[in-house]
Amino acid sequence: MKKIVLFAMGLVMGMTALAQDKVEATISGDLVSNYIWRGQDCGDVSIQPTLGVSYKGLSLIAWGSVGLSNSDDTKELDLTLSYTTGGFNIGITDYWFNVGLDPENRYFKYDAHGTNHVFEANIGYDFGLVSLQWYTNFAGNDGLNKNGKRAYSSYFEANVPFKLATVDWSATVGVIPYATSFYNEWTSGFSVTNIALKASKDIKITDSFSIPLFAQLVGNPRTQKGYFVLGFTLKAI
């Protein structure tokens, strides 16, 4: 009997581990009133779809943005390969925009002197009370520094999550550490470009359906501009 019990327990534990190791997929989309990225104004009302797969901390995510209210807004398609273990994460993102060095907007053009792709590496750690993230462009259509050479444009961000009045909040401070022409306006050195406060809450529609709603106040001390963004997320479960 003891052997049977141990065998049954082992079988259940094995099945549980197998279930936890399965490949997971993500299908979602955000609708936002304004596309603000790292304190930069990147467009008006936009739809932003996400499609991804993950397995044991390794994930491959496709993300895009298309302007709905302004046809002149930049279209974007990003591919991110990342790995997370515990609080540590590392990744590489291939950004593609329909504006840049290649006037024909060809996605599969990777020539360093004529591509609209930007390649960025990131590394970070989530300590629970605060998460820190560093991003650096290492190839593609990067900005230039004061000497006219590749800037290896970088961005550093700190996020502090907290809960208040049944709402999930996060406070963010982001900086550009050194000179680059990559972002909307030239930065000649260390610049604070993103101070944000975001609140999110699930809005119950029915007993089995709710919509995650979020609002975000963003200020960019570098450009002296402020934004108020409202959006919601639709996600396949």
Side-chain angles (χ1 to χ4, degrees), residues 50-200:
T50 299
L51 177 63
V53 292
S54 60
Y55 178 71
K56 290 186 175 181
L58 185 67
S59 64
L60 178 61
I61 304 293
W63 184 93
S65 184
V66 177
L68 296 181
S69 60
N70 186 350
S71 60
D72 293 329
D73 281 346
T74 300
K75 296 178 176 59
E76 182 176 347
L77 172 58
D78 308 335
L79 297 176
T80 299
L81 179 65
S82 63
Y83 179 71
T84 301
T85 177
F88 175 78
N89 70 85
I90 190 169
I92 294 177
T93 297
D94 170 9
Y95 297 94
W96 179 83
F97 309 93
N98 69 330
V99 294
L101 297 177
D102 178 17
E104 297 182 20
N105 302 326
R106 290 169 291 183
Y107 182 86
F108 294 101
K109 181 176 177 58
Y110 293 97
D111 184 345
H113 301 291
T115 184
N116 289 350
H117 289 266
V118 179
F119 298 92
E120 177 188 77
N122 69 277
I123 188 170
Y125 198 91
D126 186 350
F127 295 91
L129 294 178
V130 60
S131 63
L132 305 176
Q133 201 76 28
W134 180 280
Y135 306 85
T136 295
N137 295 344
F138 62 89
N141 185 20
D142 187 17
L144 303 177
N145 60 21
K146 296 178 181 179
N147 299 320
K149 297 182 179 180
R150 177 184 294 279
Y152 294 97
S153 307
S154 296
Y155 174 79
F156 175 74
E157 187 174 273
N159 286 281
V160 177
F162 60 98
K163 200 172 185 68
L164 178 64
T166 72
V167 175
D168 294 320
W169 299 76
S170 64
T172 301
V173 175
V175 302
I176 296 173
Y178 42 78
T180 177
S181 62
F182 177 72
Y183 293 94
N184 287 354
E185 292 194 14
W186 170 268
T187 55
S188 58
F190 182 91
S191 300
V192 179
T193 60
N194 186 20
I195 299 177
L197 181 65
K198 183 178 181 179
S200 58

